[in-house]
Structures are given as structure tokens and as C-alpha cells.
């Protein structure tokens, strides 16, 4: 039987990672539909219903969200809450009404409690308030987990969620003001090389993070679509001993960019949390042998993609 798999947020970093993966290994029994915001506004109930009526999906990977960096999250808490709640409510209710066999939604490690013991695991999601800077976004996202359980209990829906750690890769947002760590640093290093200026990194470079290349995360999401059925979330992260410092990332980018200028760490700028280690123990129970792309290799291909697509990349 033909599966129709609808991916919301299909033009983003992870959506494009999944698209690249499934186009490289096409299956006769799967039809993939990748949506972007121009296909319809998921905040709007009628628009969402129209999308579902048009495509009649059997499976949904829900990646679409209103997202932004720290500054926007702090300034627009009401909008971050309301718009994400509306998107998630419309997608979930349409999945129920249209008889979708399985829905996988995407959460984020930043929605976990602010005061937490490390490593973070799936059971801790609701054990305290999120950081006040992004509480609008965080509470909207936490409700996805609550509603996955409620839909399962009341309607027998197979809804679940995945919590990825820090993603990077091709098709990322390389904006200097509002991007994540790796794409922001790649763009900065590019400009430093082009303008013969020092490559200035905010902070000490000491904080540790678990970075996962979008191609790896795409493989994990497709695995979850086929194999992971419980409503409770699953964290997808590299192993704890594969945590790298921001300084390691900087050295890797400098090598990939062949930057020979000066690298400066601006220690007047805040570092943010020193570590936010997530446990992948649950994932490893299912996938003991899963291999992640090494950082140097992932950064090399991402830098190459950025240079080749500089004109059209989001920045």
C-alpha cells in the first residue's frame, strides 16, 4: 500500500536533509510531499485542512514552527506561544480527522526545564519551568508532548515526538544576527577571510555542545517513522563523549575555510550555558550501532555547500 508522507517545514534545514535522503533512495511504495510556508499557512485552520484534503497523507513529519534566536524569543513571547500552538493544534487535529496513521512532531532541547540535572533525558521534560527567555516557545512545544498522549488515550492516534540536539548542515540559516552557532560562525569566518579582518568569536570557546549533522538526523527521523511508536518523546543526540567545545568548532571551520588570519575570542561576550548534555540512552537501546558524521567531515561539507550556494543561502 502506498504511503503518502507529508513533511511540514520541508524547506528548512532538517526538511531538506530528509528530502536529500529520500531522493537518493527512492521507494516505489512511498510518496513524499515537502511543504514550505508558500504552500499554505499552518496557523490558519482552513488552510491546513485544504493541504490535508489535497494531499491525503497517511504519515506526517511535522517540522514547521515559528522559530527565532534569543532576541526574538525574548521580545515576542506572546506570538511565539500563540502561533506555535495554532500550528500544532491545526496539524494534530487534521491528522486525527483525516485518519493519518502516524504523526511525528519535532521538539527541541531548549524546551526542557532551566534547572535540571545532566544529562537530560526524556522523562524530565515537564519537571520544572523552562528558561524565562523562551517560555512562550517552550510551553507551546511542551504541549505537543501532552497532546500526543491525550490523542493516543482518547482517539487511539499514533502521535509521537522527537527531540533533536543542535543541528547543522546544508540549507541552514546563515544569518549573522539570528542563526545557530555553526552557521553563524561559518558566515563570520567567510567574511573575515574576504575582508582580511580577524575572525572574532563571541565568548571563551569553552562551552560544550552535541552537534549532529542534518543528514544523520534525517536518517534518524526516517527510522522513527518506520520503527518508533510510543507516544513518549525520544532524544536523538550523539554520544556524550562526542560533545565538542565551541573552540573545536571554530578550529574545524578555520581549517575547512582555509582561513589563515587571526582568530580572536571576545571574552567580554557571554558564553551561555557551559553544557546542556542530552542522554541518547533511549535511542541507543534501539540503535546501538548508529554512526554519526564526525564533526570535521560535517563542517567541511557544510562550508563547501555555503561557498557554492552563497548567493542563494539564507543569510
Amino acid at each position: 500500500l502506498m504511503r503518502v508522507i507529508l513533511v511540514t517545514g520541508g524547506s528548512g534545514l532538517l526538511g531538506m536533509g530528509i528530502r536529500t535522503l529520500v531522493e537518493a533512495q527512492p521507494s516505489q511504495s512511498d510518496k513524499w510531499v515537502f511543504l514550505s510556508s508558500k504552500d499554505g499557512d499552518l496557523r490558519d485552520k482552513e488552510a491546513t485542512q485544504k493541504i490535508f484534503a489535497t494531499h491525503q497523507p497517511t504519515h506526517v513529519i511535522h517540522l514547521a514552527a515559528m522559530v527565532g534566536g534569543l532576541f526574538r524569543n525574548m521580545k515576542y513571547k506572546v506570538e511565539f506561544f500563540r502561533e506555535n500552538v495554532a500550528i500544532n493544534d491545526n496539524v494534530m487535529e487534521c491528522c486525527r480527522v483525516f485518519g493519518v496513521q502516524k504523526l511525528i512532531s519535532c521538539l527541541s532541547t531548549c524546551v526542557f526545564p532551566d534547572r535540571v540535572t545532566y544529562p537530560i533525558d526524556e522523562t524530565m521534560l515537564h519537571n520544572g519551568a523552562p528558561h524565562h527567555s523562551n517560555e512562550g516557545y517552550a510551553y507551546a512545544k511542551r504541549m505537543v508532548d501532552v497532546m500526543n498522549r491525550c490523542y493516543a488515550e482518547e482517539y487511539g492516534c499514533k502521535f509521537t515526538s522527537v527531540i533533536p540536539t543542535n543541528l547543522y548542515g546544508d540549507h541552514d540559516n546563515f544569518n549573522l544576527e539570528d542563526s545557530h552557532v555553526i552557521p553563524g560562525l561559518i558566515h563570520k569566518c567567510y567574511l573575515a577571510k574576504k575582508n582580511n579582518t580577524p575572525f572574532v568569536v563571541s565568548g571563551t570557546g569553552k562551552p560544550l555542545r552535541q552537534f549532529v549533522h542534518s543528514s544523520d538526523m534525517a536518517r534518524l527521523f526516517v527510522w522513527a517513522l518506520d520503527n518508533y511508536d510510543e507516544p513518549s518523546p525520544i532524544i536523538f543526540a550523539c554520544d556524550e563523549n562526542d560533545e565538542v567545545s565551541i573552540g573545536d568548532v571554530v578550529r574545524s571551520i578555520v581549517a575547512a575555510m582555509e582561513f589563515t588570519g587571526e582568530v580572536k575570542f571576545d571574552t567580554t561576550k557571554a558564553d551561555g550555558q557551559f553544557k546542556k548534555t542530552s542522554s541518547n540512552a533511549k535511542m541507543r537501546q534501539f540503535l546501538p550501532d548508529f554512526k554519526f558524521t564526525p564533526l570535521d567531515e560535517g563542517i567541511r561539507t557544510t562550508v563547501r555547500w555555503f561557498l557554492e550556494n552563497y548567493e542563494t543561502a539564507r543569510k
Side-chain angles (χ1 to χ4, degrees):
L1 218 59
M2 189 74 162
R3 295 197 301 181
V4 179
I5 305 150
L6 185 73
V7 182
T8 73
S11 60
L13 171 63
L14 182 51
M16 290 302 286
I18 295 173
R19 188 175 201 153
T20 304
L21 174 69
V22 300
E23 283 175 359
Q25 313 169 337
S27 152
Q28 296 306 297
S29 56
D30 287 343
K31 180 188 174 203
W32 290 80
V33 179
F34 293 88
L35 297 177
S36 72
S37 47
K38 57 180 181 292
D39 295 305
D41 185 347
L42 296 173
R43 295 169 299 186
D44 180 311
K45 190 177 168 182
E46 275 76 35
T48 310
Q49 287 168 337
K50 203 170 148 190
I51 288 168
F52 275 72
T54 301
H55 297 290
Q56 297 287 323
T58 60
H59 296 68
V60 175
I61 296 179
H62 175 37
L63 310 175
M66 178 192 178
V67 295
L70 179 69
F71 175 73
R72 281 185 60 214
N73 260 291
M74 286 173 74
K75 191 173 174 195
Y76 300 112
K77 288 180 184 179
V78 171
E79 289 72 20
F80 271 94
F81 180 81
R82 295 189 67 223
E83 295 193 14
N84 283 301
V85 164
I87 290 168
N88 298 335
D89 183 53
N90 289 334
V91 168
M92 287 177 138
E93 183 60 1
C94 278
C95 283
R96 178 187 77 79
V97 170
F98 285 84
V100 167
Q101 293 165 32
K102 186 161 180 186
L103 163 66
I104 298 182
S105 297
C106 190
L107 302 185
S108 148
T109 47
C110 72
V111 310
F112 274 87
D114 181 37
R115 296 208 173 96
V116 75
T117 53
Y118 293 97
I120 295 166
D121 70 47
E122 293 85 354
T123 65
M124 301 176 183
L125 184 59
H126 304 284
N127 291 0
H131 195 270
H132 62 88
S133 65
N134 73 332
E135 59 190 346
Y137 176 79
Y139 277 116
K141 281 292 199 184
R142 284 187 187 189
M143 283 303 114
V144 170
D145 175 52
V146 174
M147 294 311 291
N148 281 342
R149 290 197 303 275
C150 294
Y151 271 102
E153 274 173 36
E154 188 174 337
Y155 294 107
C157 295
K158 209 187 273 183
F159 291 179
T160 188
S161 61
V162 165
I163 306 172
T165 53
N166 308 60
L167 282 179
Y168 73 99
D170 306 355
H171 305 278
D172 206 342
N173 175 4
F174 293 84
N175 183 295
L176 292 169
E177 300 305 311
D178 213 28
S179 71
H180 290 117
V181 183
I182 290 182
L185 288 170
I186 287 174
H187 194 171
K188 259 189 171 175
C189 186
Y190 167 85
L191 292 175
K193 183 177 177 178
K194 189 177 143 193
N195 301 328
N196 268 325
T197 52
F199 174 23
V200 182
V201 180
S202 295
T204 63
K206 292 195 175 92
L208 300 171
R209 293 293 180 266
Q210 287 158 297
F211 289 108
V212 176
H213 193 271
S214 55
S215 63
D216 297 338
M217 196 58 73
R219 280 159 53 217
L220 289 164
F221 264 76
V222 171
W223 172 85
L225 186 72
D226 297 336
N227 301 286
Y228 184 74
D229 287 339
E230 46 192 272
S232 58
I234 184 167
I235 291 171
F236 285 157
C238 56
D239 302 320
E240 243 179 281
N241 55 1
D242 290 329
E243 262 185 324
V244 294
S245 72
I246 302 301
D248 294 330
V249 171
V250 168
R251 282 183 283 281
S252 189
I253 291 171
V254 162
M257 194 73 77
E258 296 174 351
F259 175 74
T260 53
E262 185 189 358
V263 179
K264 277 184 176 167
F265 288 89
D266 179 2
T267 53
T268 64
K269 295 276 199 314
D271 262 342
Q273 274 175 280
F274 176 66
K275 63 189 292 182
K276 308 184 187 183
T277 318
S278 300
S279 166
N280 69 0
K282 184 172 179 176
M283 178 199 111
R284 284 295 185 205
Q285 285 172 2
F286 294 99
L287 297 164
D289 304 321
F290 187 91
K291 298 269 189 298
F292 287 92
T293 304
L295 182 78
D296 287 343
E297 187 188 320
I299 294 230
R300 203 162 46 241
T301 58
T302 306
V303 165
R304 189 186 317 139
W305 185 88
F306 178 69
L307 296 174
E308 286 171 2
N309 297 276
Y310 183 76
E311 293 310 317
T312 53
R314 286 186 292 165
K315 57 185 193 298

